[in-house]
């Protein structure tokens, strides 16, 4: 559990972690070298790879290409079992605990086991909580689950805590890829206050101010994807 231990160690040292999310479905393979160069000179500590709808094999090809240009840990953030590849370093083994679809609570996980057997992927059990933004997200559509309301903060807290009590090692609070507005500091802080496991926050974060706001509220790992797809200029502001 090297990657997870390093996350815990960094948090204990008061460091904040930053993950760039690359969606194989949207990313142009030919752009890998220049994009990863920008990641390497930024504050990024992790590269997450995954998406809601990804062609078979494209994750594996992309991860192999990314590996050529960086030593940062590559963590799979899969929308589906087909995205699991041994070429990455770790896998967020996601349970969509904001929803009640058994396929995403235990079904897909069973299907994943035969792919995981014999790999050296570090598997990190992760609770995944989708919280509503104004638009219906790909996660909602693909999983057939509804997002949790932003207004019911107690229910979000209790859901996250239940995930921790079930043994999950990370908790991911998600506003949805490309969300119009990131999660509020109030939601992040309220959940963080009750959790003893690292907190990941992502969805709709587009600026350095929004990244800092998430950290101030208690996020341990901030994830940004869409903002880099829209404008790689953001890397300039995020230099080490
Ligand atoms: C999506 O939380 C991630 O699953 C990142 O969201 O693409 O909006 O940055 P964005």
């Amino acid at each position: 559990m090297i990657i997870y231990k390093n996350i815990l160690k960094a948090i204990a040292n008061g460091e904040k972690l930053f993950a760039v999310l690359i969606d194989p479905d949207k990313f142009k393979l030919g752009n890998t070298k220049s994009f990863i160069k920008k990641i390497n000179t930024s504050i990024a500590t992790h590269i997450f790879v995954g998406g809601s709808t990804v062609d078979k094999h494209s994750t594996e090809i992309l991860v192999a290409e990314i590996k050529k240009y960086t030593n940062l840990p590559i963590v799979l953030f899969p929308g589906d079992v087909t995205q699991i590849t041994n070429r990455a370093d770790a896998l967020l083994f996601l349970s969509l605990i904001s929803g009640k679809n058994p396929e995403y609570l235990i079904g897909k996980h069973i299907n994943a086991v035969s792919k995981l057997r014999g790999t050296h992927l570090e598997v990190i059990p992760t609770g995944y909580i989708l919280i509503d933004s104004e638009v219906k997200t790909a996660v909602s559509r693909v999983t057939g689950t509804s997002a949790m309301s932003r207004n019911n903060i107690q229910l979000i807290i209790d859901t996250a805590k239940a995930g921790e009590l079930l043994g999950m090692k990370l908790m991911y609070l998600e506003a949805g890829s490309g969300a119009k507005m990131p999660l509020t500091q109030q939601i992040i802080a309220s959940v963080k206050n009750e959790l003893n496991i690292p907190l990941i926050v992502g969805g709709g974060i587009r600026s350095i101010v929004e990244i800092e706001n998430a950290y101030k509220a208690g996020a341990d790992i901030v994830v940004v994807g869409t903002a880099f797809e829209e404008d790689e200029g953001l890397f300039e502001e995020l230099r080490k």
Side-chain angles (χ1 to χ4, degrees), residues 21 77 128 172 174 176-179 202-205 223-226:
L21 173 64
F77 172 53
Y128 189 56
Y172 195 133
E174 170 74 275
S177 183
I205 296 173
V223 185
V224 174
T226 305

Side-chain angles (χ1 to χ4, degrees), residues 81-95:
V81 180
T82 57
Q83 293 174 38
I84 295 175
T85 165
N86 195 21
R87 295 192 182 244
D89 301 299
L91 164 73
L92 299 185
F93 204 48
L94 299 166
S95 289

Side-chain angles (χ1 to χ4, degrees), residues 195-206:
L195 282 190
N196 297 305
I197 52 175
L199 182 63
I200 309 176
V201 174
I205 296 173
R206 289 186 167 78

